[in-house]
Each structure stands twice: as C-alpha cells, then as structure tokens.
Amino acid sequence: TTLSLLQSPAVAQQPATLTATVTSTTVGAPTGTVMFFTNGVSLGTGTLNPSGQATLTTSSLAAGHNSILAQYDGDSNFAPENSTPLAIVVAGFAPPPTNLTVTSGQNLVIPLTLFAPAGSAMSFTLSCSGLPANTSCSFDMNPATPGPSGTTVHLTLTTMAGSKLPPVQPHKGPPALPGFGLAALLAALFAAATLPWRRTPRWRLVSCACLATFALALAIAGCGASSYTSSTPVTPGTPAGPAAFTVAGTSGTTTISTVVNVMVQ
C-alpha cells in the first residue's frame, strides 16, 4: 500500500487529493476500502477501483507538519496493510492564540505562525479585514516568507479610546432669546439715531440709552447659549465586546487565512 499527494504544495483549508495504491504479487486484484489519517485523526474513506487505487479529497489538512497514513482494510483474499507514513508541510497559519483581551485605547501584539514547504519560495502579503470600528492592524514583517519550521509574524492591533467634550456649566442668566434681543437692540439704536440731539429732552435720551443697554445684554445672553451637553461624544472609540477579524496572506494565486478573536474592554 503506497500513498501520494496530488497537490504540491498543499494549502490549509483548501482541497487536497490523496491517492492510495494497493497492489499484490499474487493472482487477483485487492478490493475493499482504504482509510486515510493525518496525525492519527481520520480524514475519510475511499473505495478501491479496478486499478487498485482509492482517492480522497479533503480540506481538513492543518497548517504545519502532517503525517498522513493510508490503511487498507483488506478483503476475503488479502490482509489489511498500512502504507508508509507520508510527511508533508502544509502552507498556512497555525491556530492563533486564544483568550486575547485588549482595553480600548491600547495596543495588542498577537503572534501568528506561518508555514510553507521547503523550496516553495512562497512570500505572503498580509492584510486584515473585518476589523472593529476605530481599529487598525500592522505587521512587523510584510510580506513574510515562511519556512517549513514556521515563521512568527507579530500583528499589532491598535484600538482607540472614546473621548467627550469638556463639561459645560449650566446657564444661570436669563433665557436665551437671540432673535428677540438682536431685534430689540436694532430697534433701540434706530430710534436713538432718528431723534434730533438738541430738540430731544434729556429724559428721553436716558430712556433710549437704557433700552439699548438692556437689549444688548439680552442679545449677548442669547448668543451664549449652547446646543450640546457634556455627554456629547466626540470620538466613540473602539466598541467594547467580542470581535473577530480575518488575517489573510496572498502569494501569487495562493491565499491563506485565519480568524482572530479578541475581547475589547
């Protein structure tokens, strides 16, 4: 029983086809099924065709080192047999760290490990998508050229803290009437200007001056009113709660990705 992989290189989360070939030196062809395993975990089963081959297409290969095994179950004429393990390196991201937490306004450095088979010369351009509002990401190396032993790239998640306007003191003066105050001021000035200076009694000039002063004070009070409160936000900041975003790497026509989960406080 021999085992081969059609795709080279294999990429995590993408289809890869495994082929097992079962032969015999005696008369007749083996029949039955072949089970496929990676690192001791079953991938599925294939049925032998008349040529003694069984295939399985799977998207369950994890990034990094994999030891794949084909197990022939045997039939009434042939005994079960296992293939020699096939060691391969699958390109992609290893699972990201879990239980990640960041406080709004602070940065979080997340280590991500990338794999690629030896000799593949893959160079991945990295990016983030689906980030929470008011958040950005950057990488300490970009593009990254991983190797079969794994290359660690540090992703920095930058969050933003919310901010508010400074407190506004309550207005204790007369009610804000900017339209009325301005109109009264203009009317008083107009009336004062139309009175002949020498023919106007002094009491009337004093009255006009008082009216103008009162109207001016009323207009200033109206203009000093504010339309916002101390709780009006200027910057909402990164929203609190669980967040999930995608980190992707592209090398030619090959794309790898992983989902990072973070709790924002």
Side-chain angles (χ1 to χ4, degrees), residues 20-117:
T21 302
V22 182
T23 59
S24 173
T25 58
T26 62
V27 177
T31 61
T33 59
V34 174
M35 296 185 65
F36 296 85
F37 297 86
T38 178
N39 301 325
V41 178
S42 176
L43 293 172
T45 302
T47 302
L48 290 175
N49 61 22
S51 299
Q53 289 187 333
T55 61
L56 175 71
T57 299
T58 178
S59 299
S60 299
L61 295 179
H65 295 268
N66 286 259
S67 179
I68 304 177
L69 181 74
Q71 183 183 76
Y72 172 55
D73 292 336
D75 61 12
S76 58
N77 297 316
F78 298 95
E81 185 188 43
N82 293 341
S83 70
T84 300
L86 176 65
I88 64 171
V89 174
V90 178
F93 289 97
T98 58
N99 300 321
L100 297 173
T101 302
V102 63
T103 301
S104 294
Q106 298 183 356
N107 297 340
L108 176 65
V109 178
I110 305 171
L112 300 175
T113 303
L114 285 73
F115 291 91

Side-chain angles (χ1 to χ4, degrees), residues 24-251:
S24 173
T25 58
T26 62
V27 177
T31 61
T33 59
V34 174
M35 296 185 65
F36 296 85
F37 297 86
T38 178
N39 301 325
V41 178
S42 176
L43 293 172
T45 302
T47 302
L48 290 175
N49 61 22
S51 299
Q53 289 187 333
T55 61
L56 175 71
T57 299
T58 178
S59 299
S60 299
L61 295 179
H65 295 268
N66 286 259
S67 179
I68 304 177
L69 181 74
Q71 183 183 76
Y72 172 55
D73 292 336
D75 61 12
S76 58
N77 297 316
F78 298 95
E81 185 188 43
N82 293 341
S83 70
T84 300
L86 176 65
I88 64 171
V89 174
V90 178
F93 289 97
T98 58
N99 300 321
L100 297 173
T101 302
V102 63
T103 301
S104 294
Q106 298 183 356
N107 297 340
L108 176 65
V109 178
I110 305 171
L112 300 175
T113 303
L114 285 73
F115 291 91
S120 65
M122 288 181 165
S123 182
F124 293 98
T125 299
L126 306 175
S127 62
C128 298
S129 62
L131 289 168
N134 300 311
T135 305
S136 62
C137 79
S138 60
F139 302 89
D140 64 344
M141 66 173 72
N142 196 7
T145 304
S149 59
T151 299
T152 300
V153 176
H154 293 93
L155 181 158
T156 300
L157 181 69
T158 302
T159 66
M160 182 181 298
S163 62
K164 297 180 179 180
L165 289 171
V168 178
Q169 297 299 326
H171 184 69
K172 298 181 179 180
L177 298 173
F180 174 79
L182 183 59
L185 175 61
L186 293 176
L189 293 177
F190 178 77
T194 56
L195 291 175
W197 177 261
R198 295 183 177 180
R199 299 175 56 185
T200 303
R202 179 169 298 187
W203 65 267
R204 185 171 296 179
L205 290 175
V206 173
S207 300
C208 290
C210 291
L211 177 61
T213 302
F214 173 76
L216 179 61
L218 194 60
I220 292 175
C223 293
S226 174
S227 60
Y228 62 86
T229 64
S230 60
S231 61
T232 303
V234 174
T235 302
T238 302
F245 61 94
T246 300
V247 180
T250 303
S251 177

